[in-house]
Amino acid sequence: MPLLFPRLARPDARVALRVGDETLRYDELARAAGGHAAWLRARGVSPGERVGVWAEGDLPTLVALVGNALAGVASVPLNPKLGERELAHVLDDSTPALVLATDPAALPPRLSGALPIMRREDAPIVRREDAPPPREVDDAPLLVLYTSGTTGAPKGAVLSARSVAANLDALAEAWRWGADDELVHALPLFHVHGLVLGVFGTLRVGAGLTHVPRFEPPRFADALRQATMCFAVPTMYHRLADAAEESSEVREALRRPRLLVSGSAALPEREHRRIEALTGRGVHERYGLTETLILCGVRADEGPRPGEVGAPLAGVELQLVDETGAVVDEPDQIGEVWARGPSVFSGYLGRPEATAAAFAADGWFRTGDLATRSRDGRVRIVGRKSTDLIKSGGFKIGAGEIESVLLEHPGVAEVAVLGVPDEDLGERIVAFVVPRGAPPAPEALIDLVAKALAAHKRPREIHFIDALPRNAMGKVQKAKLRPQG
Ligand code: MLC
Ligand code: AMP
């Protein structure tokens, strides 16, 4: 069977990972991650079990994520900014055998039993008989990534090594991503974009990654100077374009990589044009979901195509389906994107019903995204079926999860949450609240969500209204709600 990270099985002195001033060469990474895997095994953690990783953007965390993969365990990366309730949910739902963190002393009380990630200098020289065999492209779970739906708490999408490898190979082909490439990204390490594409993609092709733990345009631009590729969400491109307007250094840095890639949300055509006007360089867009990995992408050899996410990647089957369930085959007609292929996930952890509901007959995964396709097969994402899913800063957020938290506040009688267009975030979370008695302080409601769920799920605005608009059946008509003033 082929290996998941072939270069780690024949490691050399090429730099694999760089975070700040620290670097790890492939030979050092192989030793550290191999030591981690042997240590897990010595602790009795068996292949197939789940291990939580407190996903700070540092080198030890990257080693743990790679080491878990080598050990055959599934990583459950935990967003370090998760609020109490969401953290408890993810832990109760994923039941990790253990949780690892760079600094366990800094964790919330719920994680008091977490273990420290082995420091690089402590990584043992692993005896041949203790070393786990190199990780193959097998069907065992590699990752459990938590992702929001329209209702309820986030679900754990189980991704096998095979689906990840299939997707990364298709992307490597589309982007001509190879061992000479140097990728830079500042994405969080608990989602597909930063972890699967950014980290595992780099290691699968044997290339180099510079991870910038905190996105700030000047610092990011510094890192870009050595890059051949850049991955970012539209909010980051928006902020880079703002910075480029002020700074010739940022403009110059953005010209360096051969490929600027955007994904996780739509990059508006206006932003494409702005970056092109400022730098002379365009942005290549790609489209995907946690559950399917990346489905479409503009290829490196075809130049940026503003407004389009490209054609389906190798191995991906895609069809557009109308409301009656009929396949749309007229060019430029809108339908929901249904997808099939080797990169599609194995299901939601412990939720056979939710998994079954996500698929139509014949194994088609229903994405919920609306798109058109041109005569030559190029896809344009035009919207989403549900107003209850919000993409803000590239994070997917369910309106329902926020509404449930706000309803617990004694000053909230009714609430409706929606995403409204936002130049910077793509969509901005806005809550319309019918107060019970005197309206609570907006900050109290915002903090309630940030503390229970996650900071990126907090409403950016609270609007108090007298009543929610409802139809004759009593259903809230969110489309009628728009921020006033
Ligand atoms: C502010 N903060 C609060 C707060 N108000 N914290 C708690 N309570 C409050 N009331 C804090 C935050 O914690 C944070 O702290 C700081 O204020 C700024 O927070 P923010 O305003 O939310 O961050 P922002 O600057 O808007 O972040 C922008 C961003 C981020 C682009 C950096 O949105 C991001 O990283 N996006 C990437 C999302 C992504 O990777 N998606 C991929 C999904 S996979 P502090 O300390 O941090 O400053 C997928 C599939 C695919 O979609 O196709 O790829
Ligand atoms: P997630 O659950 O975080 O993986 O988010 C997946 C969703 O992100 C998709 O269903 C789309 O709505 C959105 N998305 C990802 N990439 C793009 C893109 N290039 N253009 C528009 N939407 C995108």
Side-chain angles (χ1 to χ4, degrees), residues 147-148 191-192 262-267 285-291 309 367 369 381 383-384 391 394-396:
T147 183
S148 294
H191 278 316
V192 161
S262 175
S264 304
L267 186 69
E285 229 182 320
R286 96 294 179 287
Y287 153 76
L289 290 83
T290 301
E291 290 91 335
V309 295
T367 66
D369 292 311
I381 305 295
R384 209 172 300 127
K391 265 263 149 161
F395 288 113
K396 190 190 238 182

PDB file of all heavy atoms in Angstrom, residues 147-148 191-192 262-267 285-291 309 367 369 381 383-384 391 394-396, ligand 2:
ATOM      1  N   THR A 147     -17.766  20.231  12.625  1.00  0.00           N
ATOM      2  CA  THR A 147     -18.303  21.206  11.685  1.00  0.00           C
ATOM      3  C   THR A 147     -19.780  21.433  11.978  1.00  0.00           C
ATOM      4  O   THR A 147     -20.493  20.509  12.370  1.00  0.00           O
ATOM      5  CB  THR A 147     -18.052  20.727  10.228  1.00  0.00           C
ATOM      6  OG1 THR A 147     -18.507  21.708   9.312  1.00  0.00           O
ATOM      7  CG2 THR A 147     -18.702  19.395   9.918  1.00  0.00           C
ATOM      8  N   SER A 148     -20.218  22.677  11.812  1.00  0.00           N
ATOM      9  CA  SER A 148     -21.589  23.036  12.172  1.00  0.00           C
ATOM     10  C   SER A 148     -22.570  22.665  11.079  1.00  0.00           C
ATOM     11  O   SER A 148     -22.238  22.679   9.894  1.00  0.00           O
ATOM     12  CB  SER A 148     -21.689  24.545  12.398  1.00  0.00           C
ATOM     13  OG  SER A 148     -20.938  24.920  13.515  1.00  0.00           O
ATOM     14  N   HIS A 191      -9.144  22.912  11.144  1.00  0.00           N
ATOM     15  CA  HIS A 191     -10.091  22.772  10.030  1.00  0.00           C
ATOM     16  C   HIS A 191      -9.374  22.249   8.795  1.00  0.00           C
ATOM     17  O   HIS A 191      -8.143  22.221   8.740  1.00  0.00           O
ATOM     18  CB  HIS A 191     -10.753  24.109   9.724  1.00  0.00           C
ATOM     19  CG  HIS A 191     -11.907  24.436  10.617  1.00  0.00           C
ATOM     20  ND1 HIS A 191     -12.874  23.520  10.957  1.00  0.00           N
ATOM     21  CD2 HIS A 191     -12.256  25.583  11.242  1.00  0.00           C
ATOM     22  CE1 HIS A 191     -13.765  24.090  11.748  1.00  0.00           C
ATOM     23  NE2 HIS A 191     -13.404  25.342  11.954  1.00  0.00           N
ATOM     24  N   VAL A 192     -10.200  21.910   7.810  1.00  0.00           N
ATOM     25  CA  VAL A 192      -9.659  21.339   6.577  1.00  0.00           C
ATOM     26  C   VAL A 192      -8.601  22.243   5.934  1.00  0.00           C
ATOM     27  O   VAL A 192      -7.528  21.778   5.526  1.00  0.00           O
ATOM     28  CB  VAL A 192     -10.823  21.079   5.576  1.00  0.00           C
ATOM     29  CG1 VAL A 192     -10.314  20.930   4.149  1.00  0.00           C
ATOM     30  CG2 VAL A 192     -11.588  19.834   6.001  1.00  0.00           C
ATOM     31  N   SER A 262      -7.349  30.934  -2.781  1.00  0.00           N
ATOM     32  CA  SER A 262      -8.377  31.315  -1.809  1.00  0.00           C
ATOM     33  C   SER A 262      -9.441  30.233  -1.738  1.00  0.00           C
ATOM     34  O   SER A 262      -9.795  29.624  -2.745  1.00  0.00           O
ATOM     35  CB  SER A 262      -9.022  32.642  -2.222  1.00  0.00           C
ATOM     36  OG  SER A 262     -10.088  32.965  -1.344  1.00  0.00           O
ATOM     37  N   GLY A 263      -9.979  30.032  -0.549  1.00  0.00           N
ATOM     38  CA  GLY A 263     -11.062  29.062  -0.376  1.00  0.00           C
ATOM     39  C   GLY A 263     -11.690  29.209   0.983  1.00  0.00           C
ATOM     40  O   GLY A 263     -11.324  30.094   1.756  1.00  0.00           O
ATOM     41  N   SER A 264     -12.675  28.355   1.258  1.00  0.00           N
ATOM     42  CA  SER A 264     -13.481  28.304   2.491  1.00  0.00           C
ATOM     43  C   SER A 264     -14.671  29.238   2.440  1.00  0.00           C
ATOM     44  O   SER A 264     -15.562  29.143   3.270  1.00  0.00           O
ATOM     45  CB  SER A 264     -12.676  28.599   3.765  1.00  0.00           C
ATOM     46  OG  SER A 264     -11.591  27.715   3.862  1.00  0.00           O
ATOM     47  N   ALA A 265     -14.664  30.192   1.519  1.00  0.00           N
ATOM     48  CA  ALA A 265     -15.796  31.099   1.311  1.00  0.00           C
ATOM     49  C   ALA A 265     -15.544  31.786  -0.028  1.00  0.00           C
ATOM     50  O   ALA A 265     -14.437  31.688  -0.580  1.00  0.00           O
ATOM     51  CB  ALA A 265     -15.883  32.123   2.439  1.00  0.00           C
ATOM     52  N   ALA A 266     -16.561  32.479  -0.505  1.00  0.00           N
ATOM     53  CA  ALA A 266     -16.433  33.102  -1.828  1.00  0.00           C
ATOM     54  C   ALA A 266     -15.516  34.323  -1.761  1.00  0.00           C
ATOM     55  O   ALA A 266     -15.658  35.169  -0.869  1.00  0.00           O
ATOM     56  CB  ALA A 266     -17.806  33.516  -2.321  1.00  0.00           C
ATOM     57  N   LEU A 267     -14.599  34.421  -2.691  1.00  0.00           N
ATOM     58  CA  LEU A 267     -13.807  35.650  -2.837  1.00  0.00           C
ATOM     59  C   LEU A 267     -14.552  36.525  -3.847  1.00  0.00           C
ATOM     60  O   LEU A 267     -14.659  36.161  -5.022  1.00  0.00           O
ATOM     61  CB  LEU A 267     -12.398  35.329  -3.338  1.00  0.00           C
ATOM     62  CG  LEU A 267     -11.451  36.527  -3.391  1.00  0.00           C
ATOM     63  CD1 LEU A 267     -11.091  37.005  -1.986  1.00  0.00           C
ATOM     64  CD2 LEU A 267     -10.163  36.183  -4.140  1.00  0.00           C
ATOM     65  N   GLU A 285      -9.125  30.329  -7.122  1.00  0.00           N
ATOM     66  CA  GLU A 285     -10.106  29.907  -6.124  1.00  0.00           C
ATOM     67  C   GLU A 285     -10.349  28.408  -6.199  1.00  0.00           C
ATOM     68  O   GLU A 285     -10.269  27.812  -7.273  1.00  0.00           O
ATOM     69  CB  GLU A 285     -11.422  30.659  -6.335  1.00  0.00           C
ATOM     70  CG  GLU A 285     -11.913  31.245  -5.037  1.00  0.00           C
ATOM     71  CD  GLU A 285     -13.236  31.971  -5.137  1.00  0.00           C
ATOM     72  OE1 GLU A 285     -13.451  32.673  -6.137  1.00  0.00           O
ATOM     73  OE2 GLU A 285     -14.038  31.838  -4.214  1.00  0.00           O
ATOM     74  N   ARG A 286     -10.639  27.845  -5.046  1.00  0.00           N
ATOM     75  CA  ARG A 286     -11.079  26.449  -4.999  1.00  0.00           C
ATOM     76  C   ARG A 286     -12.220  26.341  -4.008  1.00  0.00           C
ATOM     77  O   ARG A 286     -12.402  27.207  -3.132  1.00  0.00           O
ATOM     78  CB  ARG A 286      -9.898  25.517  -4.703  1.00  0.00           C
ATOM     79  CG  ARG A 286      -9.702  25.110  -3.262  1.00  0.00           C
ATOM     80  CD  ARG A 286      -9.332  26.252  -2.379  1.00  0.00           C
ATOM     81  NE  ARG A 286      -9.153  25.943  -0.998  1.00  0.00           N
ATOM     82  CZ  ARG A 286     -10.096  25.648  -0.097  1.00  0.00           C
ATOM     83  NH1 ARG A 286     -11.342  25.570  -0.414  1.00  0.00           N
ATOM     84  NH2 ARG A 286      -9.803  25.419   1.161  1.00  0.00           N
ATOM     85  N   TYR A 287     -13.040  25.282  -4.144  1.00  0.00           N
ATOM     86  CA  TYR A 287     -14.268  25.168  -3.360  1.00  0.00           C
ATOM     87  C   TYR A 287     -14.374  23.772  -2.758  1.00  0.00           C
ATOM     88  O   TYR A 287     -14.065  22.778  -3.434  1.00  0.00           O
ATOM     89  CB  TYR A 287     -15.463  25.448  -4.278  1.00  0.00           C
ATOM     90  CG  TYR A 287     -16.752  24.786  -3.871  1.00  0.00           C
ATOM     91  CD1 TYR A 287     -17.502  25.284  -2.800  1.00  0.00           C
ATOM     92  CD2 TYR A 287     -17.232  23.666  -4.539  1.00  0.00           C
ATOM     93  CE1 TYR A 287     -18.685  24.664  -2.416  1.00  0.00           C
ATOM     94  CE2 TYR A 287     -18.416  23.049  -4.166  1.00  0.00           C
ATOM     95  CZ  TYR A 287     -19.142  23.549  -3.104  1.00  0.00           C
ATOM     96  OH  TYR A 287     -20.310  22.943  -2.720  1.00  0.00           O
ATOM     97  N   GLY A 288     -14.810  23.706  -1.502  1.00  0.00           N
ATOM     98  CA  GLY A 288     -15.001  22.392  -0.885  1.00  0.00           C
ATOM     99  C   GLY A 288     -15.736  22.501   0.432  1.00  0.00           C
ATOM    100  O   GLY A 288     -16.203  23.574   0.824  1.00  0.00           O
ATOM    101  N   LEU A 289     -15.844  21.359   1.095  1.00  0.00           N
ATOM    102  CA  LEU A 289     -16.494  21.283   2.406  1.00  0.00           C
ATOM    103  C   LEU A 289     -15.679  20.337   3.279  1.00  0.00           C
ATOM    104  O   LEU A 289     -14.981  19.450   2.757  1.00  0.00           O
ATOM    105  CB  LEU A 289     -17.889  20.684   2.326  1.00  0.00           C
ATOM    106  CG  LEU A 289     -19.032  21.432   1.671  1.00  0.00           C
ATOM    107  CD1 LEU A 289     -19.014  21.234   0.169  1.00  0.00           C
ATOM    108  CD2 LEU A 289     -20.357  20.935   2.221  1.00  0.00           C
ATOM    109  N   THR A 290     -15.846  20.462   4.576  1.00  0.00           N
ATOM    110  CA  THR A 290     -15.199  19.525   5.491  1.00  0.00           C
ATOM    111  C   THR A 290     -15.579  18.087   5.115  1.00  0.00           C
ATOM    112  O   THR A 290     -14.730  17.197   5.117  1.00  0.00           O
ATOM    113  CB  THR A 290     -15.651  19.830   6.938  1.00  0.00           C
ATOM    114  OG1 THR A 290     -15.283  21.177   7.227  1.00  0.00           O
ATOM    115  CG2 THR A 290     -14.999  18.898   7.939  1.00  0.00           C
ATOM    116  N   GLU A 291     -16.843  17.874   4.793  1.00  0.00           N
ATOM    117  CA  GLU A 291     -17.327  16.511   4.544  1.00  0.00           C
ATOM    118  C   GLU A 291     -16.841  15.914   3.228  1.00  0.00           C
ATOM    119  O   GLU A 291     -16.842  14.694   3.053  1.00  0.00           O
ATOM    120  CB  GLU A 291     -18.860  16.493   4.525  1.00  0.00           C
ATOM    121  CG  GLU A 291     -19.518  16.721   5.883  1.00  0.00           C
ATOM    122  CD  GLU A 291     -19.818  18.186   6.171  1.00  0.00           C
ATOM    123  OE1 GLU A 291     -19.128  19.061   5.600  1.00  0.00           O
ATOM    124  OE2 GLU A 291     -20.740  18.451   6.972  1.00  0.00           O
ATOM    125  N   VAL A 309     -14.987  28.824  -9.362  1.00  0.00           N
ATOM    126  CA  VAL A 309     -14.166  27.948  -8.518  1.00  0.00           C
ATOM    127  C   VAL A 309     -13.543  26.820  -9.332  1.00  0.00           C
ATOM    128  O   VAL A 309     -12.997  25.873  -8.785  1.00  0.00           O
ATOM    129  CB  VAL A 309     -14.959  27.390  -7.319  1.00  0.00           C
ATOM    130  CG1 VAL A 309     -15.374  28.517  -6.382  1.00  0.00           C
ATOM    131  CG2 VAL A 309     -16.184  26.600  -7.779  1.00  0.00           C
ATOM    132  N   THR A 367     -24.457  19.075  -0.780  1.00  0.00           N
ATOM    133  CA  THR A 367     -23.622  20.104  -0.139  1.00  0.00           C
ATOM    134  C   THR A 367     -24.432  21.243   0.456  1.00  0.00           C
ATOM    135  O   THR A 367     -23.937  21.964   1.321  1.00  0.00           O
ATOM    136  CB  THR A 367     -22.637  20.729  -1.154  1.00  0.00           C
ATOM    137  OG1 THR A 367     -23.409  21.453  -2.122  1.00  0.00           O
ATOM    138  CG2 THR A 367     -21.777  19.680  -1.827  1.00  0.00           C
ATOM    139  N   ASP A 369     -24.965  23.859  -1.175  1.00  0.00           N
ATOM    140  CA  ASP A 369     -24.525  25.052  -1.917  1.00  0.00           C
ATOM    141  C   ASP A 369     -25.232  25.108  -3.266  1.00  0.00           C
ATOM    142  O   ASP A 369     -25.487  24.072  -3.887  1.00  0.00           O
ATOM    143  CB  ASP A 369     -23.003  25.003  -2.149  1.00  0.00           C
ATOM    144  CG  ASP A 369     -22.241  25.156  -0.854  1.00  0.00           C
ATOM    145  OD1 ASP A 369     -22.553  26.088  -0.097  1.00  0.00           O
ATOM    146  OD2 ASP A 369     -21.347  24.320  -0.593  1.00  0.00           O
ATOM    147  N   ILE A 381     -20.164  29.278  -7.667  1.00  0.00           N
ATOM    148  CA  ILE A 381     -21.020  29.135  -6.473  1.00  0.00           C
ATOM    149  C   ILE A 381     -21.837  30.427  -6.362  1.00  0.00           C
ATOM    150  O   ILE A 381     -21.259  31.515  -6.333  1.00  0.00           O
ATOM    151  CB  ILE A 381     -20.173  28.933  -5.195  1.00  0.00           C
ATOM    152  CG1 ILE A 381     -19.217  27.746  -5.353  1.00  0.00           C
ATOM    153  CG2 ILE A 381     -21.071  28.758  -3.959  1.00  0.00           C
ATOM    154  CD1 ILE A 381     -19.857  26.400  -5.501  1.00  0.00           C
ATOM    155  N   GLY A 383     -24.735  30.745  -4.102  1.00  0.00           N
ATOM    156  CA  GLY A 383     -25.455  30.940  -2.840  1.00  0.00           C
ATOM    157  C   GLY A 383     -25.549  29.634  -2.076  1.00  0.00           C
ATOM    158  O   GLY A 383     -24.840  28.669  -2.352  1.00  0.00           O
ATOM    159  N   ARG A 384     -26.445  29.640  -1.094  1.00  0.00           N
ATOM    160  CA  ARG A 384     -26.596  28.489  -0.213  1.00  0.00           C
ATOM    161  C   ARG A 384     -28.081  28.246  -0.010  1.00  0.00           C
ATOM    162  O   ARG A 384     -28.861  29.209   0.007  1.00  0.00           O
ATOM    163  CB  ARG A 384     -25.918  28.818   1.124  1.00  0.00           C
ATOM    164  CG  ARG A 384     -25.394  27.640   1.850  1.00  0.00           C
ATOM    165  CD  ARG A 384     -24.565  28.057   3.053  1.00  0.00           C
ATOM    166  NE  ARG A 384     -23.419  28.878   2.698  1.00  0.00           N
ATOM    167  CZ  ARG A 384     -23.158  30.058   3.255  1.00  0.00           C
ATOM    168  NH1 ARG A 384     -23.929  30.561   4.177  1.00  0.00           N
ATOM    169  NH2 ARG A 384     -22.097  30.743   2.880  1.00  0.00           N
ATOM    170  N   LYS A 391     -21.293  31.710   6.850  1.00  0.00           N
ATOM    171  CA  LYS A 391     -19.831  31.614   6.691  1.00  0.00           C
ATOM    172  C   LYS A 391     -19.244  32.967   7.029  1.00  0.00           C
ATOM    173  O   LYS A 391     -19.469  33.953   6.317  1.00  0.00           O
ATOM    174  CB  LYS A 391     -19.487  31.227   5.255  1.00  0.00           C
ATOM    175  CG  LYS A 391     -19.292  29.739   5.094  1.00  0.00           C
ATOM    176  CD  LYS A 391     -17.819  29.359   5.144  1.00  0.00           C
ATOM    177  CE  LYS A 391     -17.610  27.979   5.722  1.00  0.00           C
ATOM    178  NZ  LYS A 391     -16.303  27.422   5.370  1.00  0.00           N
ATOM    179  N   GLY A 394     -14.621  32.700   6.931  1.00  0.00           N
ATOM    180  CA  GLY A 394     -14.253  31.354   6.471  1.00  0.00           C
ATOM    181  C   GLY A 394     -14.661  30.262   7.444  1.00  0.00           C
ATOM    182  O   GLY A 394     -14.478  29.081   7.173  1.00  0.00           O
ATOM    183  N   PHE A 395     -15.218  30.631   8.595  1.00  0.00           N
ATOM    184  CA  PHE A 395     -15.726  29.648   9.554  1.00  0.00           C
ATOM    185  C   PHE A 395     -17.194  29.375   9.260  1.00  0.00           C
ATOM    186  O   PHE A 395     -17.965  30.329   9.036  1.00  0.00           O
ATOM    187  CB  PHE A 395     -15.643  30.191  10.993  1.00  0.00           C
ATOM    188  CG  PHE A 395     -14.253  30.266  11.545  1.00  0.00           C
ATOM    189  CD1 PHE A 395     -13.657  31.489  11.827  1.00  0.00           C
ATOM    190  CD2 PHE A 395     -13.537  29.109  11.835  1.00  0.00           C
ATOM    191  CE1 PHE A 395     -12.379  31.569  12.363  1.00  0.00           C
ATOM    192  CE2 PHE A 395     -12.259  29.176  12.383  1.00  0.00           C
ATOM    193  CZ  PHE A 395     -11.676  30.406  12.638  1.00  0.00           C
ATOM    194  N   LYS A 396     -17.587  28.097   9.347  1.00  0.00           N
ATOM    195  CA  LYS A 396     -19.006  27.768   9.170  1.00  0.00           C
ATOM    196  C   LYS A 396     -19.677  27.775  10.531  1.00  0.00           C
ATOM    197  O   LYS A 396     -19.173  27.187  11.494  1.00  0.00           O
ATOM    198  CB  LYS A 396     -19.134  26.387   8.539  1.00  0.00           C
ATOM    199  CG  LYS A 396     -20.536  26.062   8.091  1.00  0.00           C
ATOM    200  CD  LYS A 396     -20.626  24.606   7.709  1.00  0.00           C
ATOM    201  CE  LYS A 396     -21.089  24.429   6.298  1.00  0.00           C
ATOM    202  NZ  LYS A 396     -21.220  23.002   5.964  1.00  0.00           N
TER     203      LYS A 396
HETATM  204  P1  AMP B   2     -16.956  23.991   6.052  1.00  0.00           P
HETATM  205  O1  AMP B   2     -18.079  23.263   6.638  1.00  0.00           O
HETATM  206  O2  AMP B   2     -16.337  24.905   7.020  1.00  0.00           O
HETATM  207  O3  AMP B   2     -16.076  23.021   5.460  1.00  0.00           O
HETATM  208  O4  AMP B   2     -17.517  24.935   4.915  1.00  0.00           O
HETATM  209  C1  AMP B   2     -17.909  24.482   3.652  1.00  0.00           C
HETATM  210  C2  AMP B   2     -18.647  25.563   2.938  1.00  0.00           C
HETATM  211  O5  AMP B   2     -17.772  26.656   2.635  1.00  0.00           O
HETATM  212  C3  AMP B   2     -19.198  25.158   1.603  1.00  0.00           C
HETATM  213  O6  AMP B   2     -20.410  24.436   1.736  1.00  0.00           O
HETATM  214  C4  AMP B   2     -19.383  26.506   0.927  1.00  0.00           C
HETATM  215  O7  AMP B   2     -20.593  27.102   1.337  1.00  0.00           O
HETATM  216  C5  AMP B   2     -18.229  27.323   1.490  1.00  0.00           C
HETATM  217  N1  AMP B   2     -17.117  27.462   0.528  1.00  0.00           N
HETATM  218  C6  AMP B   2     -15.922  26.864   0.539  1.00  0.00           C
HETATM  219  N2  AMP B   2     -15.152  27.299  -0.484  1.00  0.00           N
HETATM  220  C7  AMP B   2     -15.892  28.202  -1.172  1.00  0.00           C
HETATM  221  C8  AMP B   2     -15.672  29.017  -2.328  1.00  0.00           C
HETATM  222  N3  AMP B   2     -14.509  29.025  -2.980  1.00  0.00           N
HETATM  223  N4  AMP B   2     -16.687  29.811  -2.749  1.00  0.00           N
HETATM  224  C9  AMP B   2     -17.869  29.847  -2.084  1.00  0.00           C
HETATM  225  N5  AMP B   2     -18.116  29.115  -0.984  1.00  0.00           N
HETATM  226  C10 AMP B   2     -17.149  28.303  -0.520  1.00  0.00           C
END
